[in-house]
Amino acid sequence: MNNILVPLGTSPDAHETLKYAIDFAADFGANVFIMDVYQVAIGAGSLGKVEEKVEATHRENIKALVAEMDTKSVDVKIASYNGDIIDGLKEITKELDINLIIIAPRSNDINEELYLGNTSGRIVKQTNIPTLVVPKGTGYLPIKSILVAFKSGILKRSKVLYPLISIMRKNKASVNLLLIKTPGYTEDDLKINTALLDVSKNLIISENPTTYHGVLEHFQAKNPDMLCVFRRKRGFFKKLWEKSTVLKSEFHATVPLLILSVKKD
């Protein structure tokens, strides 16, 4: 885990997410790239100068924010993009070889009923980069216990587990696997990838109406520092990802949520 990307919006709590990312990066010896997205129409003459001025203003504001923080010798750089945030994410993550995206749940949304706002929801839904969603007000502490919840143990690519394994090994964290059998499950769902089994020998099998109900049932007993789920077409967020926003009543996590993408499965 060498390069971490933090899409920095205009939320007044953006500094909290950035501070968490810097502290996280310091623990892992990683670099932090702050993603600054703005939208200015590109044209001839003065419009081109407007874009330059907007980018320069944004950069100065970000530099001032970083200057107020203890960066703990972490290399913090700014990656600017003019256009849509998802297009920017795809371009920047490929160019910079990003291993992890760290975001806040609600971004700029003020609706307290939302867990994932429109921007953060689109990032989770439309990118394949592992994403860590950090609740508001959460300070970084070494992760000592992780609950991995899933409704299918099938993984065609074991490398999707690399971020989880990296966190586990760095902090010598204990990992509990929670296989949740929901209505309509198949016998194939119960076949668990050997690489996933190697992460932990502690496997819990639970029957619940939804994966989220299973998490709620076992979350308090395990009291993890981090929750880990998989993003796939038929999986934990199948219904939630039909739209970009996610209500707290549908799902929310009170600890950092690591989302590993298996979209190509």
Side-chain angles (χ1 to χ4, degrees):
M1 198 150 4
N2 299 318
N3 298 317
I4 297 171
L5 185 69
V6 185
L8 199 64
T10 57
S11 167
D13 302 318
H15 68 285
E16 293 184 358
T17 308
L18 179 57
K19 184 179 186 306
Y20 185 98
I22 290 174
D23 291 346
F24 185 100
D27 201 16
F28 284 82
N31 306 311
V32 169
F33 291 89
I34 301 173
M35 181 176 175
D36 174 36
V37 178
Y38 55 91
Q39 292 186 322
V40 177
I42 300 176
S46 61
L47 286 180
K49 295 180 180 179
V50 169
E51 181 188 0
E52 292 178 3
K53 290 180 179 180
V54 170
E55 179 180 351
T57 300
H58 279 228
R59 281 182 170 268
E60 289 305 313
N61 290 339
I62 292 174
K63 288 179 180 179
L65 176 63
V66 174
E68 297 175 356
M69 296 186 172
D70 178 6
T71 59
K72 300 182 177 179
S73 298
V74 172
D75 189 8
V76 181
K77 297 180 180 178
I78 303 171
S80 299
Y81 184 82
N82 180 17
D84 181 74
I85 186 170
I86 301 303
D87 293 335
L89 276 171
K90 291 177 180 178
E91 181 174 312
I92 289 174
T93 53
K94 183 178 181 179
E95 178 183 344
L96 300 177
D97 189 25
I98 297 298
N99 310 117
L100 181 70
I101 298 173
I102 295 182
I103 60 173
R106 290 187 295 110
S107 187
N108 298 337
D109 295 278
I110 60 174
N111 190 340
E112 289 299 329
E113 295 179 349
L114 294 177
Y115 171 65
L116 290 182
N118 184 62
T119 302
S120 52
R122 289 182 66 213
I123 290 172
V124 169
K125 180 179 179 180
Q126 298 181 37
T127 62
N128 293 325
I129 305 299
T131 302
L132 185 61
V133 184
V134 181
K136 177 182 177 181
T138 301
Y140 177 72
L141 293 172
I143 306 299
K144 295 297 184 182
S145 61
I146 305 170
L147 178 63
V148 183
F150 54 96
K151 63 183 296 181
S152 172
I154 299 173
L155 294 177
K156 293 182 180 179
R157 298 177 296 118
S158 298
K159 67 179 183 180
V160 303
L161 296 173
Y162 287 177
L164 171 64
I165 293 172
S166 178
I167 293 172
M168 177 190 72
R169 289 178 176 173
K170 172 63 180 177
N171 297 296
K172 298 180 179 179
S174 62
V175 177
N176 289 291
L177 303 179
L178 176 60
L179 171 58
I180 303 170
K181 295 161 60 176
T182 58
Y185 77 89
T186 67
E187 291 301 315
D188 282 341
D189 290 331
L190 305 182
K191 298 175 183 178
I192 304 176
N193 180 280
T194 54
L196 183 56
L197 282 176
D198 287 342
V199 169
S200 172
K201 302 303 180 183
N202 188 9
L203 172 65
I204 305 165
I205 299 178
S206 177
E207 289 198 45
N208 299 92
T210 67
T211 312
Y212 184 39
H213 280 88
V215 171
L216 290 177
E217 180 181 334
H218 295 278
F219 186 88
Q220 188 171 3
K222 297 304 178 182
N223 193 29
D225 299 321
M226 174 180 287
L227 175 64
C228 177
V229 299
F230 298 105
R231 175 188 180 283
R232 61 175 100 212
K233 291 181 179 179
R234 189 182 72 84
F236 191 83
F237 284 129
K238 179 183 178 182
K239 291 294 183 183
L240 299 185
W241 283 340
E242 291 177 354
K243 55 188 184 304
S244 291
T245 58
V246 175
L247 295 172
K248 287 183 179 179
S249 59
E250 296 173 312
F251 172 84
H252 73 279
T254 57
V255 297
L257 172 68
L258 178 63
I259 303 172
L260 303 179
S261 177
V262 291
K263 182 180 178 181
K264 296 180 181 179
D265 282 8

